[in-house]
Amino acid sequence: MNKSLFKNTIYKSILSFVNIVVPLLIGPYIVKLLDVELYGIYNTVFAEFQVFLVFASFGLYTYGVREISKIRNDKEKVSKLFSNLFAISIISNILVCIIYFIYAFFTSNGITLALYCVMMIQILGNVFYVEFVNEALENYKFITIKTVIVKILYLIAILLLIKKPDDIVIYAVIVSLVVFINNIISFIYAKKHIKFDLKKVELRKYIAPLTTILIISNIDLLYSQLDRVVLGKFAGGVAVSVYYIPYYIISTLAAIPYSIINVSIPRLSYIAANETKEGYEISLNKIISSLMFIIIPMCMGVFALANEVIYIYAGEKYMACVSVLMISCVVRILLSIESVLTNLVMYPNNQERKLLKFTLSCGILNLVLNLCLVYFKILSPFASMITTIIVEVILILLEYRYIRKKLNIKPKFISKQNLLYLGLSLLFIPIAFIIKKIDYGFYLNICIIITLCILLYVGVLYLIKDDNLKLIIEKIFGIFRRRKKNG
């Protein structure tokens, strides 16, 4: 375990920061420039495409990260598993690509068919999506550098080639090629460091666990993804955009706190398999506390400034997104809790079958609720988000009860520390309300609100010597001290 979890988190945070900055720089340009109807068609096609992509990926990423993490010190076993998973990736992606082409050909035409065909580039590129190897081996330095370079190329391509409201196909081509290039680079890097032999494949024994993980690791397919598909079919492409834009904004911002979960999956998988339950539980609750420390104030900050965020990001033509963004902030906190229970408790402790039952049951419930919205003619982006909240709460309660009763593991979401984070973050809302009432001007209001909220949150936590804030301060000053000493 010679790789520092803190350094991994830093690399992952840098990566997440880039994944935030680039979309937030280019997103407003794209959303404001492209025609509303065409962008709606793109989002509808993209929502359906992601369903196919899930089956093409076949749970390989999640399974690969967990299983390679357990055996990463045995190069021969890693090589054998990697070869088998890549062989499965070839088969699953080719099969899905054929089915996807048939579906696109018989259900669409014109610009929609063109977008479907462009998306096939991503399925072909998905054959080479082996980032699970680099994640499991904690090669976050490579992942970060590679992704930063690819993102910069993406940014340049968008600014140079997207000039008109009807450039939607060009936009789709750029997005798909960037995904393809990113995957190819990762594959080349992984292949250089791991022996690769397709002669030793034995695919049958992996099908059952991969099928299980395919379902339980793609919760988004049964929730927000399902919402978008239903909206596209029954409410139109613009409704998909009104749902997708807020969800995308808050998901993009959540990438940095989610790096805590992502870099912890290999480590907790290793601890669960090789160390004591007590050590595992201590590590788990530290991660939960660190996640809540960031995700709660971030979501409440966006909630308080929802109107301003949508105006800056998407412009006046998408102001209907404001209420959806506010409810998305609540959904994101719930998804964070569910993600911890799924990725850091159920997975490392080999509870896929039970999680499968929970996820399928709640996914079916979400489908039923969406169909009820259609039947009663009240389907809307906001209503779809409400159904997601209902189902997420039920799923969290089912998982939490099982974890406490059957696994005898006690994840601490409700603690004095986490309640303090929530209480301080809720104060952002009245602060924003008061400043907007006084009204110093649109942009000055934003600056004052953000400054006051940060001062309140950090100031109180500093005064009470909060562990998470203290750790961040110590690490930052430690880096500066080492740099000064070395140079």
Side-chain angles (χ1 to χ4, degrees):
M1 305 296 288
N2 57 353
K3 295 187 179 180
S4 165
L5 186 58
F6 178 74
K7 286 184 179 180
N8 287 343
T9 304
I10 291 296
Y11 282 125
K12 193 72 175 180
S13 295
I14 292 171
L15 175 61
S16 299
F17 178 74
V18 172
N19 285 335
I20 289 174
V21 171
V22 172
L24 291 183
L25 284 175
I26 209 65
Y29 175 79
I30 291 297
V31 173
K32 292 175 182 177
L33 173 64
L34 293 176
D35 176 80
V36 173
E37 294 294 333
L38 288 177
Y39 190 58
I41 293 172
Y42 171 83
N43 284 325
T44 301
V45 170
F46 187 64
E48 294 181 3
F49 159 74
Q50 285 184 305
V51 175
F52 287 90
L53 188 64
V54 162
F55 289 97
S57 300
F58 203 47
L60 290 165
Y61 174 84
T62 302
Y63 183 82
V65 170
R66 191 190 70 178
E67 295 304 316
I68 292 178
S69 296
K70 294 177 180 178
I71 59 172
R72 63 185 185 179
N73 294 325
D74 190 324
K75 292 183 179 180
E76 186 174 340
K77 288 183 178 179
V78 170
S79 174
K80 181 179 179 181
L81 179 56
F82 175 62
S83 299
N84 277 277
L85 295 183
F86 181 70
I88 293 171
S89 178
I90 294 173
I91 296 169
S92 63
N93 280 281
I94 290 176
L95 287 175
V96 170
C97 191
I98 294 170
I99 296 170
Y100 180 71
F101 176 77
I102 295 171
Y103 171 81
F105 185 78
F106 284 102
T107 62
S108 61
N109 53 57
I111 192 75
T112 306
L113 179 59
L115 289 172
Y116 275 119
C117 291
V118 170
M119 294 296 175
M120 290 177 65
I121 297 172
Q122 293 191 47
I123 297 180
L124 295 174
N126 198 55
V127 171
F128 304 98
Y129 185 58
V130 295
E131 203 74 284
F132 58 82
V133 175
N134 296 316
E135 290 270 0
L137 300 180
E138 300 188 21
N139 293 325
Y140 293 109
K141 183 177 181 180
F142 159 75
I143 297 171
T144 300
I145 294 172
K146 177 259 304 182
T147 307
V148 167
I149 293 172
V150 172
K151 288 287 185 182
I152 291 172
L153 292 175
Y154 164 74
L155 181 63
I156 294 171
I158 290 291
L159 294 175
L160 288 179
L161 299 175
I162 308 298
K163 298 291 186 182
K164 303 188 297 296
D166 60 352
D167 283 342
I168 194 68
V169 175
I170 299 175
Y171 173 66
V173 169
I174 293 172
V175 171
S176 298
L177 286 177
V178 165
V179 171
F180 188 90
I181 292 169
N182 184 74
N183 293 349
I184 286 292
I185 294 173
S186 291
F187 176 75
I188 293 171
Y189 181 85
K191 196 171 181 297
K192 283 184 177 180
H193 292 80
I194 301 173
K195 291 182 180 180
F196 190 69
D197 188 2
L198 290 176
K199 295 178 181 179
K200 298 180 180 180
V201 296
E202 42 182 341
L203 308 183
R204 185 176 298 178
K205 75 174 186 177
Y206 297 103
I207 301 302
L210 283 172
T211 302
T212 302
I213 288 178
L214 167 67
I215 299 172
I216 61 179
S217 67
N218 289 288
I219 191 170
D220 188 59
L221 177 66
L222 295 169
Y223 299 90
S224 65
Q225 197 63 37
L226 176 64
D227 291 347
R228 276 178 265 172
V229 171
V230 173
L231 284 168
K233 293 296 184 184
F234 297 100
V238 175
V240 178
S241 294
V242 171
Y243 182 104
Y244 175 72
I245 290 171
Y247 186 86
Y248 178 73
I249 291 172
I250 197 66
S251 298
T252 302
L253 292 174
I256 284 183
Y258 269 41
S259 66
I260 296 170
I261 294 178
N262 292 333
V263 302
S264 300
I265 293 172
R267 189 63 55 94
L268 281 182
S269 295
Y270 180 88
I271 293 173
N274 298 282
E275 298 182 14
T276 65
K277 179 178 285 189
E278 290 76 14
Y280 164 80
E281 198 168 298
I282 290 170
S283 298
L284 171 66
N285 286 319
K286 284 182 179 179
I287 292 165
I288 291 173
S289 176
S290 299
L291 177 64
M292 296 298 107
F293 169 75
I294 303 175
I295 196 72
I296 293 175
M298 185 206 76
C299 288
M300 288 299 99
V302 175
F303 184 100
L305 290 169
N307 191 77
E308 290 76 11
V309 169
I310 292 298
Y311 182 81
I312 292 172
Y313 185 88
E316 291 184 358
K317 60 185 179 181
Y318 285 108
M319 293 309 290
C321 295
V322 172
S323 60
V324 182
L325 178 58
M326 295 173 78
I327 201 72
S328 294
C329 293
V330 179
V331 171
R332 182 50 53 185
I333 294 174
L334 294 174
L335 283 172
S336 300
I337 295 171
E338 192 279 326
S339 182
V340 168
L341 296 176
T342 296
N343 294 300
L344 301 185
V345 183
M346 300 292 275
Y347 281 157
N349 289 281
N350 302 307
Q351 297 298 313
E352 290 91 342
R353 291 185 181 276
K354 181 59 66 172
L355 188 54
L356 174 60
K357 294 179 182 178
F358 294 154
T359 305
L360 274 178
S361 300
C362 291
I364 292 170
L365 175 60
N366 191 46
L367 175 60
V368 171
L369 291 176
N370 272 280
L371 293 177
C372 287
L373 295 178
V374 174
Y375 180 80
F376 291 107
K377 298 181 180 180
I378 55 174
L379 178 67
S380 70
F382 186 83
S384 293
M385 278 289 181
I386 293 296
T387 65
T388 299
I389 286 181
I390 294 170
V391 174
E392 276 295 327
V393 169
I394 294 172
L395 180 58
I396 288 169
L397 291 175
L398 287 172
E399 290 184 11
Y400 186 76
R401 183 177 181 276
Y402 180 81
I403 288 166
R404 296 273 301 197
K405 297 288 185 181
K406 301 298 182 180
L407 301 183
N408 196 28
I409 296 172
K410 299 177 177 61
K412 293 181 180 178
F413 292 102
I414 301 176
S415 64
K416 289 182 179 180
Q417 194 176 28
N418 294 340
L419 289 175
L420 176 62
Y421 298 154
L422 178 60
L424 290 173
S425 300
L426 288 173
L427 292 176
F428 297 172
I429 299 172
I431 288 173
F433 179 79
I434 292 169
I435 297 302
K436 290 177 188 180
K437 279 293 182 182
I438 298 173
D439 194 9
Y440 295 98
F442 184 82
Y443 291 103
L444 188 56
N445 282 348
I446 295 173
C447 294
I448 293 172
I449 291 168
I450 292 174
T451 302
L452 289 177
C453 291
I454 291 174
L455 288 175
L456 170 69
Y457 192 76
V458 175
V460 172
L461 295 182
Y462 181 79
L463 288 175
I464 66 169
K465 298 180 180 179
D466 177 76
D467 291 338
N468 287 307
L469 182 62
K470 185 179 177 181
L471 176 63
I472 291 174
I473 293 173
E474 288 176 353
K475 292 294 184 179
I476 291 173
F477 277 98
I479 291 171
F480 282 120
R481 282 196 296 267
R482 286 193 296 270
R483 286 184 177 179
K484 186 175 181 180
K485 183 178 179 180
N486 295 332

